[in-house]
Amino acid sequence: MHTLQDIISKRGAIVIKVGTNLLTDKRTGVRRKRIMQLARDVAFLRGLGHQVVIVSSGAIGAGVASLGLARRPRTIPEKQATAAVGQPVLMESYQAAFRKLGMHVGQILLTGDDFTERKRYTNARNTLRALFAQRVIPIINENDTIAVDEIKLGDNDNLSALVASLLGADLLVILSDVDGLYTDDPSKNPAAVRIPIVHSITPDIEKLARKSGSDLGTGGMVTKLQAARRCVASGVAMVIANGEDPSVLKDILTGEIRGTLFLPGSGRLSGRKKWIGYVAKPRGSVTVDDGARSALLARHTSLLPSGIIAISGEFRGQDTVSIVDRDGLEIARGVTNYSSADLQRIRGKRSGELPQILGRPSRDEVIHKDNLVITGGKS
Ligand code: GLU
């Protein structure tokens, strides 16, 4: 699967993420014309046989205009209150636009926990499928009114990638007010050029994302790159494009590369591994020595207690944890067989010693290779 045409010709699910700046204007509120255009594009896609999901920002933006606030709120309670006002205003505009085309929309508000708990994750997927079956267009946003820090995803770039991965979508299109990924910050360097296709997300690409000027919404290029990593690992292609151009979506959807296309990785992970590596939130981390690091990366082994040098955070057996190297860089994630308290006692020990230390029959592996996903460490 090497071209955008190939990806689109599969006629699967497509997720479209639309940023705050495209949807709202500080003074005039919701940009109804832009939403109408989006509805037409979605109708076009549906006509081609795709399932479509919209991940929409703009609740806070719409709330700012409705309440006549001079600026975007800064504190969490203020943001929550503003989102509570703006979200229904935004949905009303979607409803009105889609109704004109004879289509229904449904609202889904999610928080981080909906992805971290596998049961809720499956429930969310079932609801989306039920909406597809009824030919309803799901419109998703983070549940800003209740999402406090611990359960917050924080940005809709990552939310849209999680949704695309959950659905096994073919493509995520992130529409924002940036033209794509550039070789340098285009506002500072006139020689900067747009990168049309990214075949793999190398450390150099990550560096470019940090350099690019960020847009005015919550997520800049950094969160878009995080989203791209999630997509690529789950076998989903992703495009970042400038949604100010009304024809951009239609062009992309007919196979023309506008913005930057990230091609999906070749090996699709199983649903469970996808969840472990890119969805569940790690409850803590274990630091491994260089020997364990190379065994994990080169031979995809299980993680044994002998390779562990430190543990951080408090977690229980069956929680997802992050595996980091001596420099603190994440190399993998996995489901631990041991709690953090037990790991403190058995780290650095040989497997044969465990029953004696713990006083019970014990498993050799801290994380079995079937429950482990390599997420980094390629640099
Ligand atoms: N959920 C926020 C809103 O609707 C936007 C978050 C984002 O843009 O990443 O206002």
Side-chain angles (χ1 to χ4, degrees):
M1 192 169 57
H2 293 299
T3 68
L4 193 52
Q5 274 97 344
D6 292 341
I7 294 161
I8 291 163
S9 65
K10 288 166 67 191
R11 303 272 185 268
I14 293 183
V15 178
I16 302 167
K17 186 256 166 177
V18 204
T20 297
N21 294 343
L22 290 180
L23 294 168
T24 60
D25 178 285
K26 249 186 255 136
R27 281 173 308 110
T28 51
V30 178
R31 294 173 64 186
R32 286 176 175 266
K33 274 199 193 133
R34 188 65 191 88
I35 290 189
M36 193 63 230
Q37 180 60 47
L38 182 64
R40 278 193 219 103
D41 289 339
V42 170
F44 166 75
L45 267 183
R46 270 259 294 259
L48 295 177
H50 297 277
Q51 310 279 23
V52 188
V53 175
I54 295 176
V55 174
S56 174
S57 300
I60 297 176
V64 167
S66 295
L67 293 169
L69 304 179
R71 54 165 180 81
R72 233 179 124 82
R74 299 209 177 106
T75 67
I76 297 258
E78 270 174 355
K79 279 188 188 166
Q80 291 180 316
T82 312
V85 173
Q87 180 66 24
V89 176
L90 191 62
M91 280 311 293
E92 191 277 323
S93 305
Y94 276 112
Q95 213 168 35
F98 279 92
R99 196 188 293 122
K100 280 194 189 137
L101 304 173
M103 290 154 88
H104 289 285
V105 295
Q107 168 184 270
I108 301 189
L109 299 177
L110 298 171
T111 64
D113 271 0
D114 296 315
F115 294 93
T116 308
E117 283 174 33
R118 194 152 164 84
K119 202 164 146 205
R120 283 162 74 166
Y121 177 75
T122 324
N123 280 345
R125 185 166 49 202
N126 290 343
T127 308
L128 283 165
R129 287 187 180 152
L131 287 170
F132 286 155
Q134 308 238 36
R135 299 192 56 74
V136 174
I137 304 294
I139 302 194
I140 301 180
N141 194 358
E142 177 151 23
N143 196 349
D144 292 313
T145 56
I146 58 153
V148 287
D149 268 354
E150 306 84 76
I151 57 165
K152 207 168 168 51
L153 284 158
D155 67 90
N156 278 0
D157 294 327
N158 275 294
L159 172 62
S160 60
L162 287 168
V163 169
S165 158
L166 166 119
L167 278 173
D170 293 329
L171 178 68
L172 164 63
V173 182
I174 294 192
L175 292 180
S176 86
D177 54 4
V178 293
D179 289 334
L181 186 64
Y182 277 74
T183 52
D184 200 352
D185 184 346
S187 64
K188 293 190 188 122
N189 178 359
V193 288
R194 179 172 56 85
I195 304 175
I197 302 185
V198 173
H199 293 271
S200 94
I201 303 174
T202 58
D204 284 345
I205 296 282
E206 305 254 4
K207 245 181 258 155
L208 292 180
R210 281 193 291 272
K211 267 204 247 172
S212 314
S214 62
D215 55 9
L216 301 173
T218 309
M221 204 39 97
V222 172
T223 54
K224 291 183 179 51
L225 241 279
Q226 288 165 353
R229 274 185 91 100
R230 283 197 147 109
C231 283
V232 164
S234 318
V236 180
M238 187 182 116
V239 174
I240 303 173
N242 194 332
E244 283 298 351
D245 176 348
S247 65
V248 74
L249 197 52
K250 213 159 183 178
D251 289 349
I252 293 169
L253 301 171
T254 44
E256 189 183 324
I257 300 178
R258 305 279 307 267
T260 299
L261 165 69
F262 295 82
L263 286 171
S266 49
R268 269 189 188 243
L269 292 171
S270 69
R272 191 177 136 70
K273 285 215 166 180
K274 222 156 56 173
W275 186 77
I276 295 171
Y278 295 94
V279 180
K281 206 166 166 182
R283 300 279 179 201
S285 66
V286 294
T287 307
V288 297
D289 62 20
D290 294 342
R293 179 186 192 275
S294 35
L296 291 175
L297 289 177
R299 289 185 279 118
H300 298 269
T301 56
S302 297
L303 177 65
L304 301 177
S306 55
I308 298 179
I309 48 184
I311 290 105
S312 96
E314 267 181 43
F315 48 83
R316 290 180 297 195
Q318 302 314 311
D319 279 347
T320 300
V321 295
S322 173
I323 302 173
V324 300
D325 65 14
R326 284 177 184 281
D327 298 328
L329 296 177
E330 182 178 275
I331 52 178
R333 289 185 185 183
V335 177
T336 172
N337 288 325
Y338 291 99
S339 67
S340 47
D342 281 348
L343 281 182
Q344 292 292 3
R345 297 166 65 199
I346 62 171
R347 76 188 152 91
K349 304 285 194 247
R350 278 178 297 110
S351 300
E353 299 175 81
L354 306 192
Q356 201 193 349
I357 299 171
L358 297 171
R360 58 170 199 262
S362 338
R363 305 179 64 144
D364 288 353
E365 310 89 10
V366 172
I367 300 177
H368 191 275
K369 60 178 185 230
D370 291 347
N371 294 326
L372 192 147
V373 182
I374 304 295
T375 52
K378 307 231 168 58
S379 49

